[in-house]
Short mmCIF file of all heavy atoms in Angstrom, two decimals:
data_model
loop_
_atom_site.label_atom_id
_atom_site.label_comp_id
_atom_site.label_asym_id
_atom_site.label_seq_id
_atom_site.Cartn_x
_atom_site.Cartn_y
_atom_site.Cartn_z
N ARG A 88 -13.24 -3.75 19.58
CA ARG A 88 -13.81 -4.60 20.63
C ARG A 88 -15.13 -4.04 21.13
O ARG A 88 -16.07 -4.79 21.44
CB ARG A 88 -12.81 -4.74 21.78
CG ARG A 88 -11.52 -5.50 21.38
CD ARG A 88 -10.59 -5.68 22.58
NE ARG A 88 -9.31 -6.21 22.15
CZ ARG A 88 -8.17 -5.52 22.11
NH1 ARG A 88 -8.15 -4.24 22.49
NH2 ARG A 88 -7.06 -6.08 21.69
N ALA A 89 -15.22 -2.72 21.21
CA ALA A 89 -16.47 -2.10 21.64
C ALA A 89 -17.58 -2.35 20.62
O ALA A 89 -18.74 -2.57 20.99
CB ALA A 89 -16.26 -0.60 21.83
N VAL A 90 -17.23 -2.32 19.33
CA VAL A 90 -18.21 -2.64 18.28
C VAL A 90 -18.72 -4.06 18.47
O VAL A 90 -19.93 -4.33 18.41
CB VAL A 90 -17.60 -2.46 16.88
CG1 VAL A 90 -18.56 -3.00 15.81
CG2 VAL A 90 -17.29 -0.99 16.61
N LEU A 91 -17.79 -4.99 18.70
CA LEU A 91 -18.18 -6.40 18.84
C LEU A 91 -19.05 -6.62 20.08
O LEU A 91 -19.91 -7.51 20.09
CB LEU A 91 -16.94 -7.28 18.90
CG LEU A 91 -16.20 -7.44 17.56
CD1 LEU A 91 -14.85 -8.10 17.75
CD2 LEU A 91 -17.05 -8.24 16.59
N ALA A 92 -18.81 -5.82 21.11
CA ALA A 92 -19.65 -5.95 22.31
C ALA A 92 -21.10 -5.59 22.01
O ALA A 92 -22.03 -6.06 22.67
CB ALA A 92 -19.11 -5.04 23.41
N ARG A 93 -21.31 -4.77 20.97
CA ARG A 93 -22.67 -4.34 20.60
C ARG A 93 -23.22 -5.13 19.42
O ARG A 93 -24.44 -5.13 19.21
CB ARG A 93 -22.65 -2.85 20.23
CG ARG A 93 -22.13 -1.97 21.33
CD ARG A 93 -22.02 -0.53 20.89
NE ARG A 93 -21.30 0.27 21.89
CZ ARG A 93 -21.20 1.58 21.87
NH1 ARG A 93 -21.78 2.26 20.91
NH2 ARG A 93 -20.52 2.22 22.80
N ALA A 94 -22.35 -5.73 18.63
CA ALA A 94 -22.82 -6.39 17.40
C ALA A 94 -22.06 -7.69 17.17
O ALA A 94 -21.50 -7.92 16.09
CB ALA A 94 -22.64 -5.45 16.21
N SER A 95 -22.03 -8.56 18.15
CA SER A 95 -21.22 -9.78 18.06
C SER A 95 -21.77 -10.78 17.05
O SER A 95 -21.05 -11.70 16.64
CB SER A 95 -21.13 -10.44 19.44
OG SER A 95 -22.42 -10.84 19.88
N ARG A 96 -23.03 -10.61 16.64
CA ARG A 96 -23.63 -11.54 15.69
C ARG A 96 -23.55 -11.05 14.25
O ARG A 96 -24.11 -11.66 13.34
CB ARG A 96 -25.10 -11.81 16.06
CG ARG A 96 -25.30 -12.42 17.43
CD ARG A 96 -24.58 -13.75 17.59
NE ARG A 96 -25.05 -14.73 16.62
CZ ARG A 96 -24.44 -15.88 16.37
NH1 ARG A 96 -23.30 -16.18 17.00
NH2 ARG A 96 -24.93 -16.73 15.50
N ALA A 97 -22.86 -9.95 14.06
CA ALA A 97 -22.64 -9.44 12.69
C ALA A 97 -21.26 -9.88 12.22
O ALA A 97 -20.28 -9.83 12.97
CB ALA A 97 -22.75 -7.92 12.67
N ALA A 98 -21.17 -10.28 10.96
CA ALA A 98 -19.91 -10.85 10.45
C ALA A 98 -18.85 -9.79 10.20
O ALA A 98 -17.67 -9.98 10.54
CB ALA A 98 -20.18 -11.62 9.16
N LEU A 99 -19.22 -8.67 9.59
CA LEU A 99 -18.22 -7.70 9.16
C LEU A 99 -17.38 -7.14 10.30
O LEU A 99 -16.16 -6.97 10.13
CB LEU A 99 -18.89 -6.57 8.37
CG LEU A 99 -17.94 -5.62 7.64
CD1 LEU A 99 -17.03 -6.38 6.68
CD2 LEU A 99 -18.74 -4.56 6.88
N PRO A 100 -17.94 -6.83 11.48
CA PRO A 100 -17.08 -6.36 12.57
C PRO A 100 -15.99 -7.35 12.95
O PRO A 100 -14.89 -6.93 13.32
CB PRO A 100 -18.07 -6.12 13.72
CG PRO A 100 -19.36 -5.83 13.05
CD PRO A 100 -19.38 -6.72 11.85
N TRP A 101 -16.27 -8.63 12.85
CA TRP A 101 -15.23 -9.62 13.14
C TRP A 101 -14.13 -9.57 12.08
O TRP A 101 -12.95 -9.72 12.39
CB TRP A 101 -15.84 -11.02 13.21
CG TRP A 101 -16.60 -11.29 14.46
CD1 TRP A 101 -17.95 -11.31 14.63
CD2 TRP A 101 -16.04 -11.56 15.75
NE1 TRP A 101 -18.28 -11.58 15.94
CE2 TRP A 101 -17.13 -11.74 16.65
CE3 TRP A 101 -14.73 -11.68 16.22
CZ2 TRP A 101 -16.93 -12.03 18.01
CZ3 TRP A 101 -14.53 -11.97 17.58
CH2 TRP A 101 -15.62 -12.14 18.45
N THR A 102 -14.53 -9.36 10.84
CA THR A 102 -13.53 -9.24 9.77
C THR A 102 -12.65 -8.01 10.00
O THR A 102 -11.42 -8.08 9.88
CB THR A 102 -14.22 -9.13 8.40
OG1 THR A 102 -15.00 -10.30 8.17
CG2 THR A 102 -13.20 -8.99 7.28
N ASN A 103 -13.27 -6.89 10.33
CA ASN A 103 -12.51 -5.67 10.59
C ASN A 103 -11.55 -5.84 11.76
O ASN A 103 -10.41 -5.36 11.74
CB ASN A 103 -13.46 -4.50 10.85
CG ASN A 103 -14.27 -4.13 9.63
OD1 ASN A 103 -13.87 -4.40 8.50
ND2 ASN A 103 -15.43 -3.51 9.84
N TYR A 104 -12.03 -6.52 12.79
CA TYR A 104 -11.18 -6.79 13.96
C TYR A 104 -10.01 -7.69 13.57
O TYR A 104 -8.86 -7.46 13.99
CB TYR A 104 -12.04 -7.44 15.03
CG TYR A 104 -11.35 -7.70 16.36
CD1 TYR A 104 -10.53 -6.74 16.95
CD2 TYR A 104 -11.57 -8.90 17.04
CE1 TYR A 104 -9.93 -6.97 18.18
CE2 TYR A 104 -10.98 -9.14 18.28
CZ TYR A 104 -10.15 -8.18 18.83
OH TYR A 104 -9.56 -8.42 20.05
N GLY A 105 -10.28 -8.70 12.74
CA GLY A 105 -9.21 -9.59 12.28
C GLY A 105 -8.13 -8.83 11.53
O GLY A 105 -6.94 -9.08 11.70
#
Side-chain angles (χ1 to χ4, degrees):
R88 294 183 188 108
V90 172
L91 287 169
R93 303 176 190 189
S95 62
R96 300 301 300 167
L99 191 57
W101 285 103
T102 300
N103 294 336
Y104 185 43

